[in-house]
Every structure is written in C-alpha cells, then in structure tokens.
Amino acid sequence: STNHKDIGSLYLWFSFIMFLTGGPMAMVIRAELFQPGLQLVEPNFFTQMITVHGLIMVFGAVMPAFTGLANWLIPMMIGAPVMALPWMNNWSFWILPFAFTMLLSSLFMEGGGPNFGWTFYAPLSTTYSPDSTALFVFAIHIMGISSMMGAINVIVTIVNLRAPGMTWMKLPLFVWTWLKTAFLLIAVMPVLAPAVTMVLTDKFFGTSFFDTAGGGDPVMFQHIFWFFGHPEV
C-alpha cells in the first residue's frame, strides 16, 4: 500500500508485536534480578536478553510507534492528501520485519546472540563478542536506513505538501516536533552506521579502531555512540 494511514497502521501493529517480544525479555531480566544469587537463566543468556531487549524496545517498539503516528497524523494535520514519497514510505516499513527477524535469529546462532548491552560498548562488542555480532550489525544498518527514509519523507511532506494558508506558524506542535526529530535522525543515523561498521571490522577484519594495543581508543566508541544516542532518544 502507499496509503499513509495503512502504512501508519502497519507501523503501529509492528510496534505492538515488538513490544510483546521485548516485554517478556524485560520480565526475564527482572525475574533474574529478583533476589541476590537467584539463577533462573544461564548467565550468557541473561546478557543476551539485555542487549536484544534494549534494541527491540528502542528501534522496534518506540521508534516505529512514533513513525506510525507521524504517518497517520501529519498529512491530516497539514491538509496533505498523502505522504510526499509514498513508495519510499512503504519500503521504509517493510525492511523493518526483516531487520528484526535477523536480530532475533542471532539468538539461535552457535555461541549465542549479541551479549554486550544495548549500547554495545567496545571491547565487549569487539574482542569478547560472539560471531552473531555480524547479524546484529547488519540489522542495525537496516533499522538505520528505515529511520532515515522515514525522516526524509516527513521533511519533504511538511515542506512541500502543506495546504494553502497553512503557514509555518500555524503548524500543530506535533508536526513541529516531528520536523525537528526528522532533522535529528538525518544528522545522527549516519554517525551510528560507521560506529557499528568499525565494530564489525574490529571483530572480523583485524582493525583496531577501539583496541588500544593497535593504537585505537575504546572511549572513542562511547563518544561516537552517544553523538548518535542522545539525539535519537
């Protein structure tokens, strides 16, 4: 579909499904922390749950819910018949189920899924991580592409498709917040992409961006990550 309401509904249903996926992971985490010394799940599985729960909730539940509301409401609020780039809008949704299928499938790989927290700090995500890190990085790239396309669509729609008489100062606050958010996404998603790519090359191709033994700096990862992370959140 290229109907903005249909795509908005798809985003909202996807967000709900991801909420039902990530929520039980949070319950596993909280159950394990119920009392000192309690051992309900294997320790490595616990750290995997922390990583995947965080990514699913941020990129799978919160972001698609917000994007779904944007798809539903922005055209109606500014008097536009459609989102400006309907086919790209469709594509930006449909790559998400594949990204999260890939992320969840990493849990079933030999060595287990990603087990280094949702912030995936080096060297936990490089030197000490399982091979499923490759799937994790690819999934993050696809989520980022989806966010970028959604943000571009929002900006083009708000700038070009406002109804006659809908001046900038008459835009509803929700539309203004999304315009600002879309610019932030376009600014910070290209920062996350090289960060996870450097994690990938440190892990599999012998680079040392975040390895002090090779002249790298693990703290640099945190600077790059949070340059992305706080605008995103």
Side-chain angles (χ1 to χ4, degrees), residues 118-203:
W118 89 266
T119 51
F120 40 98
Y121 282 175
L124 293 177
S125 56
T126 53
T127 310
Y128 304 108
S129 61
D131 288 343
S132 60
T133 303
L135 280 182
F136 156 83
V137 168
F138 194 36
I140 291 277
H141 273 300
I142 297 175
M143 297 171 206
I145 291 167
S146 171
S147 292
M148 288 274 293
M149 289 195 295
I152 290 166
N153 210 349
V154 164
I155 291 172
V156 175
T157 302
I158 295 171
V159 171
N160 286 346
L161 293 189
R162 297 193 312 281
M166 176 63 75
T167 62
W168 286 105
M169 288 299 119
K170 289 180 182 175
L171 287 181
L173 189 59
F174 180 83
V175 179
W176 270 113
T177 57
W178 242 109
L179 187 65
K180 176 268 299 178
T181 303
F183 274 110
L184 280 177
L185 283 172
I186 289 172
V188 302
M189 277 300 168
V191 179
L192 179 66
V196 292
T197 304
M198 286 189 275
V199 165
L200 188 75
T201 58
D202 270 19
K203 170 74 179 163

Side-chain angles (χ1 to χ4, degrees), residues 12-26 53 56-57 60-62:
L12 290 167
W13 276 112
F14 177 77
S15 167
F16 182 61
I17 292 166
M18 286 294 101
F19 182 78
L20 295 181
T21 307
M25 294 179 182
H53 158 75
I56 282 177
M57 286 310 203
V62 176

Side-chain angles (χ1 to χ4, degrees), residues 42-57:
E42 194 259 331
N44 193 43
F45 183 71
F46 177 77
T47 52
Q48 291 172 37
M49 285 297 97
I50 287 178
T51 305
V52 178
H53 158 75
L55 289 166
I56 282 177
M57 286 310 203

Side-chain angles (χ1 to χ4, degrees), residues 45-139:
F45 183 71
F46 177 77
T47 52
Q48 291 172 37
M49 285 297 97
I50 287 178
T51 305
V52 178
H53 158 75
L55 289 166
I56 282 177
M57 286 310 203
V58 173
F59 290 102
V62 176
M63 290 289 298
F66 197 30
T67 309
L69 287 173
N71 267 296
W72 251 98
L73 297 174
I74 286 176
M76 295 196 290
M77 284 181 164
I78 65 173
V82 289
M83 291 292 276
L85 306 163
W87 289 109
M88 189 167 85
N89 201 18
N90 195 26
W91 189 34
S92 69
F93 169 76
W94 279 109
I95 60 176
L96 280 180
F98 292 95
F100 283 93
T101 301
M102 197 182 310
L103 179 65
L104 288 167
S105 67
S106 69
L107 292 169
F108 304 100
M109 279 184 70
E110 190 176 348
N115 58 359
F116 31 73
W118 89 266
T119 51
F120 40 98
Y121 282 175
L124 293 177
S125 56
T126 53
T127 310
Y128 304 108
S129 61
D131 288 343
S132 60
T133 303
L135 280 182
F136 156 83
V137 168
F138 194 36

